[in-house]
Amino acid sequence: MPDSIVEQVRQVRSGSLTAVSLVERTFDKMASNSAINAFISFDRDKALAEAKKVDRLVASGGNTGRLAGIPLAIKDNIDVEGFRTTAGTPGIDYVASKSAPIVSHLTSEGAIVIGKTNMHELAFGVTSNNAAFGTVRNPADHTRIPGGSSGGTAAAVASGIVSGGLGTDTAGSIRVPAALTGVVGFRPSTSLIDMKGIVPSVPTFDVAGPMATTVGDVAYLASIMTHQTMPRPRNLRGLRLGLVKDYMVNLSSHVSRAVSDAFAKIEQAGVTLVEVDISPISSASFEVGFSVGFYEMKNAMAAYLAQMQPNTTLQEMIGKIASKDVKNTYVNSVLGEDAPSETTYREAIARIDGIRQNYLRLFEDHHLDALIFPATPLEAPPIEGSDEAVFLNGEYVPTLPVFMRNVAATGVYGAPGISIPLSASEGDHLPVGLEIDGRPEADLDLLGIALGIEAALVNA
């Protein structure tokens, strides 16, 4: 296990490790892991210049910040000053004049952006098979997908190129790749993150969040992004977690074994698992989610292009989409006959508050601290053929619904969710993710629970 971000910062501040050496090591690892295709763009000279500034501050006794010299990878739909933003699609391409606020929060504390990561085109998909910038490969097995849409950031962290980075999550786009690559991925509560400077997908559900190798590192990055205190690990004894039974069906044998083992360990640590049925709430969330999603994908993107790339129309951008699955979605469901009307959209928006109240009532009725379930029903499938279907328990099933199934509704609730990696069972190298979801805006509580669970799993 590499040193934590906090430990690396301590070493840089003490002078026992230079920021320059950290950045040089990062680019060396990027070169040796080039086959995973994690990055769309990077700037070694810019990163080294920033690292030298940090080292000069250390030498002079200046304030280096809470992320002094830490290299980070940023998903390429998030603006970083001086870097191209493409959102993984040929129709978007501009150099950002300023960073998104969430990036500025991190760089103002001494973090160094080394590059922009590859992703599923326009953040709409779960494979990161990007036809414009190339397929992202899973560091655990280069023949398999890393998940998406934040697959590049997940792969960069999982391969050890960086200790942390940022992704975005509308319907699972941080947590799915975190689960499939074996890293920690955190979706904050939607209301807590400033989404300025980020290419929109579905603004009602979009949120950006951190990815790292441990819950502690994710919590540290999240505390800086949201200006909150660092959470403390929760004592698990007496904790009540809702085991979502409808998310436990039709799991691969590998996922089933991994999560069952994890449940046994946390119960031994004092957690009470309470079986709950969330199907009425999640079903309503999917009905609302697609109506809101396809309507906002059109209007939000048109408005964004008008602001950031005024010489490109929405139709021109769609015409340049390279990935077949994304192109079909925009042509048929966003612009075509299947696109939701404004009336349908307004009706869907009006239902969201009721869904969120029912979600909170589930917690109250069962006296729950959080929900727990497998992040995905299947481990990372092979890249070949995965655009449309994957093989699960003897049959081919559509890729997108399978990997969205357990995690998409979290966005409709506006709630925080985190995927924690589970150790692969003996003889199997593919990671599995354990998802924990909390109450909206109770992010610190959720992270505290995740810290406690991570410790229980490691120490069991």
Side-chain angles (χ1 to χ4, degrees):
M1 178 70 70
D3 288 335
S4 70
I5 288 175
V6 173
E7 175 58 21
Q8 290 178 48
V9 170
R10 187 197 66 76
Q11 292 175 25
V12 170
R13 283 173 160 175
S14 71
S16 62
L17 177 69
T18 66
V20 166
S21 66
L22 257 183
V23 167
E24 288 176 336
R25 185 193 309 170
T26 296
F27 280 98
D28 288 345
K29 288 181 179 178
M30 187 190 296
S32 62
N33 287 278
S34 61
I36 65 174
N37 195 32
F39 288 85
I40 286 177
S41 62
F42 53 86
D43 192 329
R44 184 187 183 106
D45 291 341
K46 181 178 171 66
L48 283 170
E50 294 297 323
K52 289 174 183 176
K53 290 180 186 177
V54 172
D55 289 336
R56 285 197 293 270
L57 274 174
V58 171
S60 65
N63 180 14
T64 54
R66 289 176 289 172
L67 289 169
I70 298 299
L72 296 178
I74 309 296
K75 187 176 180 180
D76 200 23
N77 58 346
I78 303 172
D79 284 350
V80 179
E81 182 180 350
F83 281 88
R84 294 168 60 205
T85 296
T86 72
T89 194
I92 296 177
D93 192 354
Y94 62 87
V95 176
S97 59
K98 62 180 180 179
S99 294
I102 56 163
V103 174
S104 296
H105 293 335
L106 300 172
T107 55
S108 67
E109 293 288 348
I112 297 171
V113 176
I114 61 152
K116 306 291 293 296
T117 54
N118 203 349
M119 54 186 283
H120 203 105
E121 193 167 357
L122 285 166
F124 193 84
V126 294
T127 65
S128 295
N129 295 339
N130 188 310
F133 293 97
T135 295
V136 185
R137 296 179 180 274
N138 194 321
D141 183 335
H142 290 189
T143 69
R144 295 179 182 262
I145 69 168
S149 62
S150 307
T153 300
V157 173
S159 62
I161 296 172
V162 289
S163 298
L166 294 184
T168 60
D169 190 311
T170 303
S173 283
I174 285 174
R175 293 158 294 146
V176 169
L180 299 191
T181 60
V183 303
V184 180
F186 177 55
R187 176 202 165 88
S189 294
T190 311
S191 59
L192 295 185
I193 299 295
D194 187 339
M195 293 297 286
K196 293 187 186 73
I198 300 177
V199 180
S201 182
V202 183
T204 297
F205 308 137
D206 291 347
V207 72
M211 307 176 81
T213 55
T214 67
V215 177
D217 280 352
V218 158
Y220 190 64
L221 293 172
S223 70
I224 294 171
M225 290 170 61
T226 59
H227 301 294
Q228 293 186 310
T229 56
M230 179 71 177
R232 294 181 178 275
R234 177 76 178 266
N235 185 334
L236 299 189
R237 197 151 300 281
L239 200 71
R240 288 174 62 86
L241 300 181
L243 178 56
V244 184
K245 64 180 183 180
D246 24 321
Y247 293 167
M248 291 294 296
V249 298
N250 200 23
L251 305 178
S252 75
S253 58
H254 176 46
V255 170
S256 182
R257 283 193 304 272
V259 295
S260 295
D261 181 57
F263 294 154
K265 289 176 180 176
I266 63 174
E267 282 185 306
Q268 191 174 14
V271 169
T272 298
L273 295 179
V274 183
E275 195 172 85
V276 296
D277 179 5
I278 203 172
S279 54
I281 310 172
S282 62
S283 294
S285 298
F286 272 88
E287 292 170 11
V288 161
F290 283 110
S291 295
V292 172
F294 292 141
Y295 187 87
E296 290 191 355
M297 283 167 71
K298 176 179 67 176
N299 290 275
M301 183 59 75
Y304 192 81
L305 288 171
Q307 177 190 4
M308 300 302 297
Q309 203 168 293
N311 293 328
T312 302
T313 66
L314 178 64
Q315 287 75 13
E316 288 170 339
M317 186 214 75
I318 291 172
K320 294 180 179 180
I321 293 174
S323 304
K324 184 179 177 181
D325 59 329
V326 181
K327 185 75 161 276
N328 288 342
T329 296
Y330 271 85
V331 169
N332 298 321
S333 300
V334 176
L335 291 186
E337 293 181 0
D338 297 338
S341 66
E342 183 172 356
T343 299
T344 300
Y345 170 70
R346 298 296 174 195
E347 290 172 348
I349 287 287
R351 293 178 62 190
I352 291 176
D353 187 60
I355 291 170
R356 290 178 177 174
Q357 292 305 315
N358 288 336
Y359 178 74
L360 289 171
R361 194 170 298 119
L362 180 78
F363 278 71
E364 293 166 3
D365 290 348
H366 295 278
H367 308 289
L368 301 177
D369 295 287
L371 302 179
I372 192 166
F373 49 90
T376 64
L378 176 68
E379 63 273 22
I383 292 168
E384 188 174 353
S386 64
D387 287 341
E388 296 181 1
V390 292
F391 196 65
L392 174 61
N393 291 332
E395 64 177 336
Y396 283 98
V397 291
T399 305
L400 189 64
V402 164
F403 285 105
M404 286 177 61
R405 189 191 80 179
N406 291 7
V407 292
T410 314
V412 180
Y413 310 145
I418 188 167
S419 178
I420 300 175
L422 300 178
S423 300
S425 56
E426 189 174 345
D428 199 321
H429 61 294
L430 296 175
V432 172
L434 181 67
E435 173 93 0
I436 313 165
D437 281 2
R439 292 181 177 89
E441 300 183 21
D443 294 41
L444 292 181
D445 290 342
L446 179 67
L447 288 167
I449 291 168
L451 285 165
I453 289 176
E454 180 183 56
L457 294 174
V458 170
N459 297 327

